[in-house]
Tab-separated table of all heavy atoms in Angstrom:
chain	number	residue	atom	x	y	z
A	20	ALA	N	63.845	81.681	105.261
A	20	ALA	CA	62.703	82.500	104.848
A	20	ALA	C	63.087	83.325	103.624
A	20	ALA	O	64.201	83.834	103.529
A	20	ALA	CB	62.305	83.424	105.995
A	21	ARG	N	62.178	83.458	102.683
A	21	ARG	CA	62.458	84.242	101.480
A	21	ARG	C	61.806	85.620	101.578
A	21	ARG	O	60.856	85.814	102.338
A	21	ARG	CB	61.990	83.484	100.236
A	21	ARG	CG	62.826	82.199	100.019
A	21	ARG	CD	62.442	81.474	98.756
A	21	ARG	NE	62.748	82.203	97.533
A	21	ARG	CZ	63.915	82.165	96.884
A	21	ARG	NH1	64.914	81.446	97.353
A	21	ARG	NH2	64.078	82.853	95.761
A	22	PHE	N	62.352	86.564	100.825
A	22	PHE	CA	61.854	87.939	100.824
A	22	PHE	C	60.937	88.109	99.618
A	22	PHE	O	61.384	87.971	98.474
A	22	PHE	CB	63.035	88.916	100.751
A	22	PHE	CG	62.647	90.362	100.821
A	22	PHE	CD1	62.568	91.021	102.041
A	22	PHE	CD2	62.357	91.080	99.658
A	22	PHE	CE1	62.212	92.367	102.110
A	22	PHE	CE2	61.990	92.423	99.722
A	22	PHE	CZ	61.918	93.056	100.957
A	23	PRO	N	59.654	88.403	99.830
A	23	PRO	CA	58.737	88.533	98.695
A	23	PRO	C	58.974	89.827	97.931
A	23	PRO	O	59.202	90.876	98.531
A	23	PRO	CB	57.358	88.539	99.370
A	23	PRO	CG	57.610	89.090	100.734
A	23	PRO	CD	59.006	88.671	101.127
A	24	VAL	N	58.903	89.729	96.623
A	24	VAL	CA	59.177	90.897	95.772
A	24	VAL	C	57.871	91.476	95.251
A	24	VAL	O	57.014	90.762	94.733
A	24	VAL	CB	60.084	90.511	94.586
A	24	VAL	CG1	60.248	91.695	93.621
A	24	VAL	CG2	61.441	90.041	95.096
A	25	ARG	N	57.732	92.786	95.386
A	25	ARG	CA	56.548	93.495	94.890
A	25	ARG	C	56.896	94.190	93.574
A	25	ARG	O	56.626	93.673	92.507
A	25	ARG	CB	56.073	94.491	95.963
A	25	ARG	CG	54.830	95.282	95.581
A	25	ARG	CD	54.386	96.134	96.782
A	25	ARG	NE	53.246	96.971	96.493
A	25	ARG	CZ	53.322	98.277	96.221
A	25	ARG	NH1	54.492	98.902	96.196
A	25	ARG	NH2	52.221	98.984	95.993
A	26	ARG	N	57.537	95.329	93.633
A	26	ARG	CA	57.906	96.061	92.425
A	26	ARG	C	59.424	96.171	92.352
A	26	ARG	O	60.103	96.116	93.370
A	26	ARG	CB	57.327	97.479	92.451
A	26	ARG	CG	55.825	97.524	92.500
A	26	ARG	CD	55.389	98.952	92.742
A	26	ARG	NE	53.942	99.104	92.604
A	26	ARG	CZ	53.290	100.223	92.847
A	26	ARG	NH1	53.955	101.304	93.247
A	26	ARG	NH2	51.979	100.300	92.696
A	27	ILE	N	59.935	96.412	91.149
A	27	ILE	CA	61.371	96.664	90.977
A	27	ILE	C	61.542	98.006	90.279
A	27	ILE	O	61.165	98.165	89.114
A	27	ILE	CB	62.059	95.568	90.138
A	27	ILE	CG1	61.783	94.174	90.717
A	27	ILE	CG2	63.566	95.831	90.071
A	27	ILE	CD1	62.314	93.036	89.845
A	28	TYR	N	62.075	98.965	91.021
A	28	TYR	CA	62.396	100.279	90.447
A	28	TYR	C	63.893	100.333	90.165
A	28	TYR	O	64.696	99.750	90.900
A	28	TYR	CB	62.024	101.400	91.426
A	28	TYR	CG	60.543	101.484	91.669
A	28	TYR	CD1	59.976	100.977	92.828
A	28	TYR	CD2	59.702	102.043	90.712
A	28	TYR	CE1	58.605	101.036	93.042
A	28	TYR	CE2	58.338	102.110	90.915
A	28	TYR	CZ	57.795	101.606	92.082
A	28	TYR	OH	56.448	101.666	92.273
A	29	CYS	N	64.258	101.036	89.114
A	29	CYS	CA	65.661	101.156	88.730
A	29	CYS	C	65.983	102.621	88.523
A	29	CYS	O	65.185	103.371	87.955
A	29	CYS	CB	65.928	100.410	87.422
A	29	CYS	SG	65.381	98.682	87.418
A	30	VAL	N	67.176	103.016	88.984
A	30	VAL	CA	67.648	104.387	88.786
A	30	VAL	C	68.468	104.423	87.503
A	30	VAL	O	69.344	103.587	87.296
A	30	VAL	CB	68.545	104.840	89.959
A	30	VAL	CG1	68.926	106.310	89.798
A	30	VAL	CG2	67.855	104.599	91.286
A	31	GLY	N	68.179	105.397	86.639
A	31	GLY	CA	68.972	105.551	85.417
A	31	GLY	C	70.179	106.433	85.682
A	31	GLY	O	70.099	107.391	86.442
A	32	ARG	N	71.292	106.095	85.058
A	32	ARG	CA	72.502	106.957	85.042
A	32	ARG	C	72.855	107.523	86.417
A	32	ARG	O	72.846	108.743	86.601
A	32	ARG	CB	72.291	108.129	84.071
A	32	ARG	CG	72.116	107.680	82.641
A	32	ARG	CD	71.862	108.857	81.711
A	32	ARG	NE	71.154	108.403	80.535
A	32	ARG	CZ	70.049	108.977	80.044
A	32	ARG	NH1	69.538	110.044	80.620
A	32	ARG	NH2	69.467	108.472	78.988
A	33	ASN	N	73.191	106.643	87.348
A	33	ASN	CA	73.516	107.130	88.695
A	33	ASN	C	75.015	107.170	88.974
A	33	ASN	O	75.423	107.440	90.096
A	33	ASN	CB	72.792	106.295	89.754
A	33	ASN	CG	72.666	107.038	91.068
A	33	ASN	OD1	72.710	108.276	91.092
A	33	ASN	ND2	72.540	106.314	92.159
A	34	TYR	N	75.815	106.846	87.966
A	34	TYR	CA	77.270	106.994	88.089
A	34	TYR	C	77.709	107.862	86.912
A	34	TYR	O	77.373	107.582	85.762
A	34	TYR	CB	77.981	105.645	88.014
A	34	TYR	CG	77.769	104.720	89.195
A	34	TYR	CD1	76.584	103.997	89.338
A	34	TYR	CD2	78.769	104.541	90.155
A	34	TYR	CE1	76.397	103.123	90.405
A	34	TYR	CE2	78.592	103.667	91.224
A	34	TYR	CZ	77.404	102.968	91.342
A	34	TYR	OH	77.230	102.104	92.386
A	35	ALA	N	78.466	108.926	87.201
A	35	ALA	CA	78.798	109.914	86.168
A	35	ALA	C	79.483	109.274	84.963
A	35	ALA	O	79.156	109.576	83.813
A	35	ALA	CB	79.684	111.005	86.770
A	36	ALA	N	80.438	108.361	85.220
A	36	ALA	CA	81.204	107.792	84.100
A	36	ALA	C	80.307	106.949	83.199
A	36	ALA	O	80.510	106.896	81.982
A	36	ALA	CB	82.370	106.953	84.625
A	37	HIS	N	79.293	106.287	83.775
A	37	HIS	CA	78.357	105.514	82.942
A	37	HIS	C	77.438	106.453	82.163
A	37	HIS	O	77.148	106.206	80.991
A	37	HIS	CB	77.525	104.551	83.795
A	37	HIS	CG	76.435	103.859	83.024
A	37	HIS	ND1	76.700	103.007	81.969
A	37	HIS	CD2	75.082	103.894	83.137
A	37	HIS	CE1	75.553	102.552	81.470
A	37	HIS	NE2	74.549	103.077	82.158
A	38	ALA	N	76.996	107.537	82.783
A	38	ALA	CA	76.175	108.517	82.056
A	38	ALA	C	76.942	109.023	80.840
A	38	ALA	O	76.400	109.112	79.732
A	38	ALA	CB	75.797	109.676	82.977
A	39	ARG	N	78.241	109.303	81.041
A	39	ARG	CA	79.054	109.799	79.921
A	39	ARG	C	79.196	108.742	78.834
A	39	ARG	O	79.112	109.051	77.653
A	39	ARG	CB	80.437	110.233	80.428
A	39	ARG	CG	80.408	111.604	81.075
A	39	ARG	CD	81.827	112.116	81.389
A	39	ARG	NE	81.789	112.847	82.641
A	39	ARG	CZ	82.216	112.389	83.799
A	39	ARG	NH1	82.782	111.203	83.874
A	39	ARG	NH2	82.107	113.110	84.888
A	40	GLU	N	79.382	107.471	79.217
A	40	GLU	CA	79.556	106.447	78.182
A	40	GLU	C	78.248	106.232	77.408
A	40	GLU	O	78.270	105.719	76.297
A	40	GLU	CB	80.100	105.126	78.751
A	40	GLU	CG	79.083	104.239	79.447
A	40	GLU	CD	79.686	102.942	79.991
A	40	GLU	OE1	80.819	102.577	79.641
A	40	GLU	OE2	78.990	102.284	80.795
A	41	MET	N	77.103	106.628	77.998
A	41	MET	CA	75.833	106.540	77.288
A	41	MET	C	75.509	107.849	76.556
A	41	MET	O	74.402	108.039	76.065
A	41	MET	CB	74.690	106.190	78.259
A	41	MET	CG	74.855	104.859	78.993
A	41	MET	SD	75.134	103.448	77.905
A	41	MET	CE	73.499	103.261	77.186
A	42	GLY	N	76.477	108.770	76.525
A	42	GLY	CA	76.321	109.984	75.732
A	42	GLY	C	75.547	111.096	76.420
A	42	GLY	O	75.004	111.980	75.763
Side-chain angles (χ1 to χ4, degrees):
R21 294 183 66 87
F22 183 90
V24 174
R25 181 175 177 259
R26 299 171 172 175
I27 306 174
Y28 295 102
C29 307
V30 185
R32 297 178 204 130
N33 201 23
Y34 291 78
H37 173 63
R39 281 188 217 103
E40 79 180 347
M41 300 306 288

